[in-house]
Amino acid sequence: MDISIIPKNEFDRVNNNSHIKHNILSLFSYMCRYNTFVSIKLAGSGHLGSSFSAMDLVVYLYLKELNTRNVGFNSPNRDIYFSSKGHDVPGLYSVLYALGIIPEEKLLKLRKLNGLDGHPNIITNGIESNTGSLGMGISKGKGFAWAKKYLNYNGRVFVLTGDGEFQEGQIYESLQATANQKVNNLTVIIDKNKYQTDMLVQQVNSIDNLESKVKEFGWYVACCSGHNFDDIERAFSEVKEITDKPKFIIADTIKGKGISFLEEPYSTNGISYYKWHSGAPDDDYFEKGIEELKRKIILLAKNSNISEIKYKHIQEYVKVNTLLNKTYLTDAYGDALCDIAKDRKDIVVLDGDLAADCRVRKFQNLYPDRFLENGIAEQDMVSTAGGLARQGLLPVVNSFASFLCSRANEQIYNNACEHSKIIYVCHFAGFIPAGPGKSHQSVRDISLINGIPNMIIAQPANQLETKNLLEYFVYKATENCALRINIGPSPSNIEFDQSYKLKFGQGTVLKDGTDSVCFGYGPVMLHEILEAASILHNLGFSLKVIDMPWLNRVDKDWFINEISGFENIYVIEDHNITGALGDLLIYEANSSGILKRFHKIGIEGYPAFGTPQEVLRYHKLDGKSIAERIFGNHININSMTENYTVEAPQ
């Protein structure tokens, strides 16, 4: 299959005069949609729906509104634009490429190491703010705008938000504060495409009467079609005349605008769902979408009296399956939750607009009276769970670990102080998949929860352990519980022998060994550890591998027995190197008066983004690198491992 892009010189040809007509804007916009579609296909993931719904607004801003073409992108007097939601960044990258701000090689490396981050990051030229964790953008925009006035800089600030994002509490704090602080050089545009991840905003957590609500906060509000350039121009001209209050533009858009199948929702049980929030099209959909975009580009070019747009061949696309199987632990979690709920009528499931990703949609369909969809409002969701628990129910709270454990940490702590029981299920744990970037890679959640005394944290290695841990949390645990789950397909199935039985504070020996012992957790890192053990075996080094699902509880007698006879103990973290399993095991050894040499191997600094293989290699957490580090220590070669000698107490 041929992969081509529209090269920059074709955009230059279209954009060759200073007075761009609206039909030219439409052509430019569809050309950017084409390159966005290609870049997401090459990446294997990304956000098509939001990129396409916001595209016309972004093109209008850069070609007609922002002063950066005159003053330059580095001038302190420049207009500033950024997206608060961040999901639309593949589309923004295509616009920045078309304007010569980012190079072609970067455009073709979306979500790859040393390429373009899956969510906005200021390491990329033209990106003004890191975003991706929702709700922060208006506050940041206020900071930019206030600073401009204080520093006597010219230029305005524009922030794009999503309508689903308007469920975050910080949005309303920022609306109120911006008007109160008289920050009048800020314009917010809402890409009102009416869908969030896969459901209508109105069905999840309605933000009806948005115009009147924003006006009541003290903003000037204009409305327009987000796909009609005449109407877009009218709205921007209207707000430009307002100088005594912040401005807000409600742009009515269509999610996936530009390709017919991206625009079409589907219905199940009377509920409308959207398919294309994230992910890349398969080969059939890709070819279908490319042909539709080409037809539209031909027609728009003809109507604009521009000769046929030329394409640049990039490569022949060959689909490569890098996964050994597609076992999802989230599937086992969702099924086990439904099975347990048959008998446990007290279970109530709460979701933060991630029911499909967290595999709780089946529960929602089976037990709709015990399912609470809170939308993108983690703090509200967690405190709601606290009230449910105080009434004797058992809340099971679901969201991505990076959002749930950080944004709602104070609410989790408050609930725990009441000594009622809540189960928090922290999906998308760890740093793989790494394509979405730092905002989604959860490598600090264990340390954030570890500071809460009556909280058990565990992470399963396979589907069986997932089911068993959930059953333990429901039926046996008396404390609050956090279940940490990798969201992607497991790179291999971690096998247990017939004697396996889940025991509190104890792990499972996956491979026996005599030279060193290595602890790990979760299918991603255990796969790499077992790969390392296989490599070491060929070097004559025998590594004992233990799956340790309990991340902040350990059976001391079991632990001492398992490390007995080994001088070197390794702990591989799917987390920052501090605050996780390694610190627990070091503490337990120290408190028992055992002298061992501990080696913690994990994420140091911020996690890189890219494909799983690229990022594992980058952090030296792939099987080969782990083997080299262990074997290097064995033969007294310096390694990059952080070493700890645990001294016996006096």
Side-chain angles (χ1 to χ4, degrees), residues 505-551:
Q506 298 186 18
T508 300
V509 177
L510 302 178
K511 183 183 179 302
D512 224 332
T514 56
D515 292 316
S516 285
V517 58
C518 184
F519 294 85
Y521 49 92
V524 174
M525 295 319 306
L526 286 171
H527 169 79
E528 300 302 328
I529 296 168
L530 289 169
E531 286 284 307
S534 178
I535 294 169
L536 290 167
H537 176 79
N538 293 332
L539 296 173
F541 186 94
S542 178
L543 182 68
K544 182 177 181 178
V545 179
I546 298 177
D547 160 40
M548 181 54 176
W550 308 97
L551 302 182

Side-chain angles (χ1 to χ4, degrees), residues 300-369:
L300 287 165
K302 184 178 179 180
N303 291 341
S304 303
N305 295 316
I306 291 176
S307 59
E308 185 177 346
I309 301 299
K310 296 180 175 59
Y311 298 83
K312 177 182 177 181
H313 172 76
I314 298 299
Q315 66 181 64
E316 291 297 320
Y317 179 79
V318 179
K319 187 173 182 181
V320 179
N321 181 10
T322 58
L323 298 169
L324 301 180
N325 69 32
K326 289 196 174 183
T327 300
Y328 288 84
L329 303 197
T330 45
D331 287 335
Y333 161 72
D335 290 342
L337 185 61
C338 290
D339 289 342
I340 294 169
K342 292 176 186 176
D343 300 320
R344 288 293 298 261
K345 308 298 184 185
D346 58 334
I347 288 179
V348 179
V349 170
L350 297 90
D351 173 61
D353 186 39
L354 293 165
D357 290 322
C358 298
R359 300 299 198 270
V360 293
R361 179 128 303 145
K362 181 179 177 182
F363 186 100
Q364 179 185 13
N365 293 333
L366 287 174
Y367 310 106
D369 59 325

Side-chain angles (χ1 to χ4, degrees), residues 139 142 168-178 217 379:
S139 301
K142 173 161 66 79
E168 284 282 17
Q170 186 178 348
I171 289 285
Y172 297 93
E173 295 176 11
S174 62
L175 287 174
Q176 180 171 276
T178 302
F217 278 109
Q379 294 175 341

Side-chain angles (χ1 to χ4, degrees), residues 143-154:
F144 277 114
W146 190 94
K148 276 185 173 292
K149 293 173 73 173
Y150 176 76
L151 297 169
N152 294 316
Y153 293 156
N154 294 323

Side-chain angles (χ1 to χ4, degrees), residues 272-474:
S272 180
Y273 293 102
Y274 185 77
K275 181 179 180 180
W276 297 98
H277 173 72
S278 63
D282 64 21
D283 292 350
D284 291 339
Y285 272 118
F286 179 70
E287 291 180 358
K288 183 179 177 182
I290 284 295
E291 289 307 310
E292 183 174 343
L293 288 172
K294 283 184 174 180
R295 288 195 302 270
K296 290 180 176 178
I297 289 169
I298 289 171
L299 181 61
L300 287 165
K302 184 178 179 180
N303 291 341
S304 303
N305 295 316
I306 291 176
S307 59
E308 185 177 346
I309 301 299
K310 296 180 175 59
Y311 298 83
K312 177 182 177 181
H313 172 76
I314 298 299
Q315 66 181 64
E316 291 297 320
Y317 179 79
V318 179
K319 187 173 182 181
V320 179
N321 181 10
T322 58
L323 298 169
L324 301 180
N325 69 32
K326 289 196 174 183
T327 300
Y328 288 84
L329 303 197
T330 45
D331 287 335
Y333 161 72
D335 290 342
L337 185 61
C338 290
D339 289 342
I340 294 169
K342 292 176 186 176
D343 300 320
R344 288 293 298 261
K345 308 298 184 185
D346 58 334
I347 288 179
V348 179
V349 170
L350 297 90
D351 173 61
D353 186 39
L354 293 165
D357 290 322
C358 298
R359 300 299 198 270
V360 293
R361 179 128 303 145
K362 181 179 177 182
F363 186 100
Q364 179 185 13
N365 293 333
L366 287 174
Y367 310 106
D369 59 325
R370 290 193 273 154
F371 182 85
L372 290 176
E373 178 53 75
N374 290 261
I376 308 167
E378 296 86 0
Q379 294 175 341
D380 173 66
M381 176 172 62
V382 169
S383 291
T384 299
L388 296 172
R390 288 284 293 129
Q391 288 294 104
L393 297 172
L394 178 57
V396 181
V397 180
N398 296 265
S399 188
F400 286 175
S402 55
F403 309 143
L404 179 59
C405 299
S406 57
R407 176 156 295 196
N409 190 263
E410 186 175 4
Q411 286 75 16
I412 294 171
Y413 179 79
N414 181 278
N415 289 345
C417 291
E418 295 174 342
H419 296 279
S420 51
K421 180 177 167 183
I422 299 173
I423 298 173
Y424 301 95
V425 187
C426 307
H427 301 262
F428 210 135
F431 66 101
I432 301 294
K438 298 174 185 61
S439 63
H440 286 56
Q441 293 166 282
S442 190
V443 295
R444 58 198 175 101
D445 54 291
I446 301 173
S447 57
L448 284 169
I449 297 178
N450 247 338
I452 301 174
N454 55 326
M455 178 76 73
I456 303 169
I457 314 169
Q459 180 167 351
N462 57 23
Q463 290 192 330
L464 176 59
E465 196 164 54
T466 302
K467 178 177 181 291
N468 287 356
L469 282 171
L470 183 61
E471 289 174 344
Y472 182 91
F473 284 174
V474 171

Side-chain angles (χ1 to χ4, degrees), residues 1-9 34-35 37-39 41-43 97 103-110 112 286 290 294 310-318:
M1 178 173 55
D2 176 67
I3 298 285
S4 300
I5 64 164
I6 299 175
K8 181 184 178 298
N9 64 298
Y34 180 96
N35 281 352
F37 198 59
V38 170
S39 69
K41 175 62 174 174
L42 291 174
Y97 163 71
E104 180 181 295
E105 59 267 24
K106 286 281 189 179
L107 180 70
L108 301 177
K109 290 187 69 178
L110 174 65
K112 292 184 172 64
F286 179 70
I290 284 295
K294 283 184 174 180
K310 296 180 175 59
Y311 298 83
K312 177 182 177 181
H313 172 76
I314 298 299
Q315 66 181 64
E316 291 297 320
Y317 179 79
V318 179

